[in-house]
């Protein structure tokens, strides 16, 4: 069975009324990660960091359909997923800088953004390991008789991990309210999808588990939001899980240590022209050239937010060494 391709609605139909809001949501993630790059080059970030620049429409589209009480799990490439949940930027910066005001007290860093109070119940460094957690959150929601949903973001590489298959199977047979969001950014660590995966459309794998598998343009915020809305609605209505394969592209290498030399220049050029922020801005100014002012204002406002959040994080002290065993259970 071929997965459904769901091309509409799309930005081709015109910019949505709340374009300025959607733009701000995506720019917040983009500019947060620009700032992280700056901190990284100054040696202020320990360890590595995995940027999601280029993939912002996926997380903003899905998060727009979640509400308090819903759960969200994501990967080490999870800054965008977490920020889209409305998690404060100063706590995100502080976490990356290893400061005590960080989301988890500065003990987790870039790969462990977590804020359970906003549904962000965990980023995960082990490929695919968070999918059973999303299923557990879905089972909890069902068991408690709520209409809460659970959303899981994961990469194309994760679809070759056993936990992916077990999670889809269990979620489907128990009709759990889970939305599986596959961010197909065309590459695993350094391998193109075709080198590791013998099927063309990964969403086709949903058929094995009797659930809808939808393939969408993950860089089109309107398409992404509409598709997420449908999947979340199915979950809330007790109709079970959905797999959404969002086609997208990461702007940089896998992590800070990867210059991504393995990517053909024409491929990079193609995807940069389809950058999700550029696509939205183009749609906004196509019918109304004066929208450029709105775009500039949103950019300036988000720049200000980023600056003050970073200042607050830099003012936060390092964690007290006496607390190093706090939250360690063994
Ligand atoms: C179980 C496991 N195997 C291997 C790794 C090493 N590793 C880290 S990221 C990654 C690639 C995953 O690619 P994908 O799922 O497409 O996510 P992306 O990084 O593209 O967002 C690999 C192999 C790991 N962290 N966990
Ligand atoms: Mg990938």
């Amino acid at each position: 069975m071929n997965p459904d391709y769901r091309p509409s609605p799309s930005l081709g139909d015109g910019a949505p009324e709340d374009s300025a809001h959607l733009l701000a949501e995506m720019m917040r993630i983009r500019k947060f990660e620009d700032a992280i790059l700056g901190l990284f080059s100054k040696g202020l970030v320990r360890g590595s960091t995995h940027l999601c620049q280029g993939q912002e429409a996926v997380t903003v589209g899905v998060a727009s359909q979640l509400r308090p009480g819903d759960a969200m799990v994501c990967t080490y490439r999870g800054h965008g997923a977490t920020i889209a949940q409305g998690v404060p930027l100063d706590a995100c910066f502080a976490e990356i800088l290893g400061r005590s005001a960080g989301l988890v007290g500065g003990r987790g860093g870039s790969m462990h953004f977590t804020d359970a109070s906003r549904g962000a119940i965990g980023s995960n460094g082990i490929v695919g390991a968070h999918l059973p957690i999303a299923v557990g959150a879905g089972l909890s929601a069902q068991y408690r008789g709520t209409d809460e949903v659970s959303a899981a973001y994961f990469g194309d590489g994760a679809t070759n991990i056993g936990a992916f298959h077990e999670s889809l199977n269990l979620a489907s047979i128990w009709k759990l309210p889970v939305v599986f969001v596959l961010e197909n950014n065309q590459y695993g660590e350094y391998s193109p999808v075709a080198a590791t995966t013998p099927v063309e459309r990964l969403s086709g794998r949903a058929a094995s588990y009797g659930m809808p598998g939808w393939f969408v343009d993950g860089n089109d915020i309107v398409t992404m939001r509409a598709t997420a809305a449908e999947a979340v609605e199915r979950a809330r209505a007790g109709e079970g899980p959905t797999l959404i394969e969002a086609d997208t592209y990461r702007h940089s290498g896998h992590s800070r240590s990867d210059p991504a030399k393995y990517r053909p220049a024409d491929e990079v050029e193609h995807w940069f022209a389809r950058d999700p922020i550029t696509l939205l801005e183009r749609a906004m100014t196509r019918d109304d050239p004066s929208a450029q002012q709105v775009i500039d204002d949103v950019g300036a406002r988000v720049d200000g937010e980023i600056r003050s959040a970073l200042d607050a994080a830099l003012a936060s002290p390092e964690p007290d060494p006496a607390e190093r065993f706090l939250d360690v259970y063994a």
Side-chain angles (χ1 to χ4, degrees):
M1 184 168 89
N2 281 328
D4 298 332
Y5 178 48
R6 307 177 70 79
S8 71
S10 79
L11 282 170
D13 304 325
E17 263 177 33
D18 61 345
S19 289
H21 168 72
L22 292 172
L23 187 63
E25 293 292 299
M26 291 198 285
M27 275 190 179
R28 197 169 288 124
I29 299 168
R30 176 71 53 94
K31 289 176 183 283
F32 173 85
E33 290 198 328
D34 281 341
I36 295 303
L37 273 177
L39 295 174
F40 206 88
S41 57
K42 285 187 196 151
L44 290 172
V45 181
R46 297 181 190 106
S48 194
T49 183
H50 304 72
L51 304 182
C52 67
Q53 290 184 323
Q55 305 184 194
E56 294 91 342
V58 181
T59 47
V60 168
V62 172
S64 73
Q65 301 308 307
L66 302 180
R67 59 192 195 205
D70 293 340
M72 182 284 286
V73 292
C74 60
T75 72
Y76 45 85
R77 202 179 298 290
H79 304 157
T82 311
I83 292 171
Q85 292 287 121
V87 170
L89 293 179
D90 50 355
C92 295
F93 275 127
E95 189 53 45
I96 286 204
L97 290 164
R99 303 299 173 92
S100 59
L103 289 170
V104 290
R107 295 188 190 82
S110 169
M111 289 201 265
H112 297 101
F113 275 22
T114 304
D115 181 351
S117 71
R118 291 179 177 80
I121 62 171
S123 310
N124 213 297
I126 309 297
V127 174
H130 56 308
L131 296 183
I133 298 172
V135 173
L139 177 60
S140 162
Q142 187 189 64
Y143 184 78
R144 288 178 289 114
T146 69
D147 68 351
E148 293 165 6
V149 309
S150 152
Y153 299 98
F154 53 98
D156 39 274
T159 68
N160 291 329
I161 293 278
F164 164 82
H165 298 274
E166 296 172 38
S167 298
L168 265 68
N169 187 67
L170 201 58
S172 185
I173 196 70
W174 287 348
K175 274 192 175 264
L176 299 180
V178 185
V179 180
F180 293 99
V181 186
L182 196 184
E183 297 184 89
N184 186 348
N185 61 7
Q186 319 301 318
Y187 287 86
E189 206 153 0
Y190 314 113
S191 323
V193 172
T196 58
T197 311
V199 292
E200 206 170 312
R201 290 277 34 134
L202 305 179
S203 35
R205 290 184 161 174
S208 305
Y209 305 107
M211 75 173 75
W214 299 336
F215 157 54
V216 297
D217 180 352
N219 283 6
D220 183 320
I221 183 65
V222 168
T223 302
M224 204 51 234
R225 176 165 65 175
T227 309
E230 226 176 301
V232 167
E233 197 40 53
R234 288 191 72 243
R236 289 204 202 287
E239 291 168 26
T242 305
L243 172 63
I244 300 173
E245 178 185 6
D247 228 14
T248 185
Y249 203 69
R250 55 168 154 79
H251 278 189
S252 49
H254 172 71
S255 66
R256 291 314 305 144
S257 53
D258 172 22
K261 295 254 169 63
Y262 46 83
R263 306 194 300 189
D266 57 345
E267 176 189 286
V268 175
E269 196 183 326
H270 164 80
W271 280 100
F272 270 69
R274 299 206 73 265
D275 171 74
I277 292 179
T278 309
L279 289 187
L280 176 57
E281 290 178 347
R282 218 183 273 152
M284 288 170 74
T285 51
R286 188 172 45 222
D287 299 326
D288 175 16
S290 73
Q292 187 56 49
Q293 189 58 50
V294 176
I295 295 170
D296 294 344
D297 290 348
V298 169
R301 180 160 54 80
V302 175
D303 281 339
E305 269 181 59
I306 296 284
R307 246 189 329 269
S308 55
L310 183 51
D311 286 347
L314 286 166
S316 164
E318 304 243 331
D320 181 349
E323 293 182 353
R324 66 196 181 282
F325 294 122
L326 207 68
D327 301 330
V328 175
Y329 295 106

